[in-house]
Amino acid sequence: MSKRPENASRTLFGTDGVRGKANVHPMTPEITMALGAAIARHVRAGPRRHRIVVGKDTRLSGYMFEQALAAGICSMGVDVLLCGPLPTPGIAFLTHSMRADAGAVISASHNYFQDNGIKFFAGDGFKLPDAVEAALEADVMGQSGQRRRPTDNRVGKAFRIDDAIGRYVVHLKNCFPADRTLDGIRMVIDCAHGAAYKSAPAVFEELGAQVVRMGNRPDGRNINRKSGALHPEQLARSVLRHQAHLGIALDGDADRVVLVDEKGKVVDGDALMAALARYLIRGRALKGRTLVTTVMSNLALDHALAEVGGKVLRTQVGDRYVVERMRQKGLTFGGEQSGHLIFLQHATTGDGTLAGLMVLAMMLQEERPLSEIVGSFEPFPQILLGIEVREKPAFRRVPAIHKAIEKAEQALGDEGRVLVRYSGTEPKARVLVEGRKQAKIEAEAQRIAEAIRKAIGA
């Protein structure tokens, strides 16, 4: 199968697989079946039987896409292992654990039920690189429908993995310190009526916690609706009402987490990463004493880690790029401000339930409440502006813009940060400036914004 360059224009794959409104291009059964055939062709090599793990979240359209994807895979002589509703990290785990050739997740993550999506994992449980996704897309868009397909006993089969949830629950429990239990811990967990509605409460309860469940009654239409990581307000109220030690909110496919402390306050994502990284450094468990995060994280994160001899390494936005950099550098912990936390010694992708376990382990080890652990983190003031543009040239090639950015960086020095980028979905330039003094960052942000308006403004 031919590959096209990673920077080639795409119409199917975005930053996290294929996603869109269910039954509207590109999220149609026809495209889904073609994607199934394409991933099957990609993994098939030699005469042996090949297998692809397929899981989904709780959306109504998941039934339709599960069958279409399985049909496409089987049509190319590859077997399908159906898991049913299971978190994205659970599919990644089973793909590697069962020695499958690939994994597929049918989910639109934090989107509402009208949308759906498909993302793929390689046999090692890691998301497919951009180049492979581009090749799959080229395959799908170039199909004539007349490709030679296997017949007779070479057609693929579909099998149901009845104990998929149990396997994943056991895996997560094994990630928790063997000499610890959650006896005496009272917690609230909001599963967003999504993929973790069974697995997440089971993990914490089997370790001894008293769990108050929320968002655990999916009906196909209520995923993410006024619940989960998108709407932690109800969780915060429930934590206070039940006098819980913490609250955990997951999103629809449970690959990210938002926490609420015992005081009912939503924990800032950067504050959480800072606390975990410092905890790991103190325990000599953070490889390279380095946290990998994206350009969106606050500069205060760098200062918080520097205090304990650590450092921050940044990537472009997207948890897949955080994971790629971690693998390149041999690092073990990274994440995004939005709640994707990756513990590479335990998982190949973000896992909200696993992140909750790691936070509880930290609380037990330090014998402090969550509010106290994260309370010392003070984010720097930050300004974020959006400017409509008529074109998107490289900023360094527009002298006035380049000069304005350079002047801001010089003015802020080590006490501030400037990030100017184009939106990937809108005709806008985004200007982010942060530093210790509000007035100063506002002035620098407006100066850059004005340069953009004059040069390329709509």
Side-chain angles (χ1 to χ4, degrees):
M1 181 172 58
S2 61
K3 294 184 179 181
R4 68 181 184 178
E6 293 182 29
N7 60 356
S9 177
R10 299 197 203 179
T11 58
L12 292 182
F13 284 90
T15 56
D16 198 20
V18 182
R19 191 176 296 185
K21 190 172 184 179
N23 243 4
V24 176
H25 184 84
M27 279 309 301
T28 63
E30 293 82 4
I31 291 292
T32 302
M33 186 171 176
L35 280 167
I39 189 67
R41 278 191 291 272
H42 174 72
V43 303
R44 198 177 58 188
R48 70 177 178 86
R49 299 293 295 194
H50 296 75
R51 304 182 301 166
I52 295 177
V53 174
V54 174
K56 61 181 181 178
D57 63 23
T58 56
R59 292 163 210 273
L60 182 64
S61 59
Y63 296 100
M64 173 174 68
F65 292 121
E66 180 185 51
Q67 298 302 314
L69 189 65
I73 294 169
C74 290
S75 75
M76 295 310 302
V78 175
D79 294 338
V80 177
L81 304 176
L82 296 168
C83 297
L86 195 69
T88 287
I91 300 302
F93 161 71
L94 285 175
T95 297
H96 180 58
S97 173
M98 298 189 71
R99 307 303 190 266
D101 298 280
V105 179
I106 301 166
S107 173
S109 188
H110 57 272
N111 292 25
Y112 293 118
F113 91 98
Q114 296 92 336
D115 293 342
N116 218 324
I118 300 172
K119 49 191 168 187
F120 295 107
F121 293 97
D124 58 6
F126 288 97
K127 289 180 181 178
L128 296 180
D130 288 340
V132 175
E133 287 187 345
L136 293 179
E137 179 167 325
D139 188 355
V140 170
M141 304 306 287
Q143 282 191 46
S144 65
Q146 303 301 317
R147 294 180 187 270
R148 185 175 179 180
R149 298 187 178 93
T151 56
D152 303 322
N153 64 350
R154 292 174 294 166
V155 172
K157 301 177 183 178
F159 303 89
R160 180 72 59 180
I161 308 177
D162 294 324
D163 62 345
I165 292 177
R167 291 178 185 226
Y168 177 53
V169 167
V170 169
H171 159 65
L172 287 174
K173 288 164 58 182
N174 286 336
C175 297
F176 194 71
D179 60 341
R180 296 280 187 179
T181 74
L182 295 179
D183 293 343
I185 293 292
R186 184 165 52 254
M187 57 185 293
V188 183
I189 183 163
D190 186 344
C191 302
H193 303 295
Y197 78 102
K198 286 185 178 180
S199 61
V203 169
F204 296 107
E205 287 174 344
E206 290 183 19
L207 286 170
Q210 179 186 339
V211 177
V212 177
R213 302 185 183 205
M214 296 177 62
N216 65 322
R217 296 181 179 179
D219 62 11
R221 299 175 297 277
N222 60 358
I223 188 170
N224 297 314
R225 186 201 299 162
K226 296 181 180 179
S227 62
L230 287 182
H231 302 281
E233 305 85 17
Q234 291 188 57
L235 174 66
R237 289 192 289 270
S238 185
V239 166
L240 292 175
R241 184 166 62 252
H242 293 280
Q243 296 183 321
H245 293 92
L246 83 164
I248 294 177
L250 306 172
D251 66 343
D253 69 334
D255 66 347
R256 80 182 173 104
V257 67
V258 170
L259 295 185
V260 172
D261 68 23
E262 79 285 356
K263 296 181 179 179
K265 182 180 178 181
V266 176
V267 177
D268 176 82
D270 284 337
L272 183 59
M273 285 193 290
L276 284 165
R278 288 164 65 102
Y279 162 69
L280 292 170
I281 288 173
R282 287 192 293 270
R284 299 182 180 180
L286 185 63
K287 194 76 174 291
R289 303 173 75 88
T290 301
L291 166 69
V292 182
T293 187
T294 73
V295 292
M296 298 307 294
S297 279
N298 197 279
L299 185 62
L301 193 56
D302 304 65
H303 288 248
L305 263 66
E307 290 176 357
V308 291
K311 61 182 180 180
V312 173
L313 183 62
R314 282 184 167 79
T315 74
Q316 67 188 91
V317 177
D319 64 297
R320 64 184 300 153
Y321 302 112
V322 173
V323 173
E324 284 179 7
R325 185 63 58 85
M326 291 170 69
R327 297 179 72 190
Q328 289 169 0
K329 300 292 185 180
L331 303 174
T332 52
F333 177 53
E336 289 189 288
Q337 189 182 44
S338 60
H340 288 108
L341 298 178
I342 302 112
F343 298 87
L344 212 53
Q345 69 271 41
H346 299 301
T348 57
T349 187
D351 190 324
T353 308
L354 174 61
L357 286 173
M358 296 299 102
V359 169
L360 282 162
M362 173 176 65
M363 290 169 59
L364 292 172
Q365 177 66 32
E366 300 202 351
E367 298 181 337
R368 292 193 294 162
L370 184 57
S371 64
E372 186 177 322
I373 293 174
V374 301
S376 62
F377 183 85
E378 287 290 339
F380 284 14
Q382 190 178 83
I383 296 293
L384 180 62
L385 303 176
I387 304 97
E388 291 190 3
V389 296
R390 62 179 182 271
E391 55 182 325
K392 295 183 178 181
F395 295 118
R396 65 180 181 277
R397 295 181 180 174
V398 184
I401 299 175
H402 183 60
K403 185 176 181 180
I405 294 172
E406 280 193 327
K407 285 186 68 175
E409 290 174 337
Q410 290 170 2
L412 295 169
D414 294 336
E415 297 298 304
R417 188 168 67 96
V418 178
L419 174 64
V420 185
R421 65 187 181 93
Y422 291 114
S423 166
T425 57
E426 300 176 276
K428 288 184 177 181
R430 302 201 186 279
V431 177
L432 183 150
V433 181
E434 60 188 21
R436 291 190 181 275
K437 297 181 179 179
Q438 186 75 28
K440 191 170 186 177
I441 64 171
E442 286 181 0
E444 297 302 336
Q446 291 295 344
R447 188 176 291 112
I448 295 171
E450 185 60 26
I452 293 173
R453 290 191 192 98
K454 287 182 178 179
I456 55 174

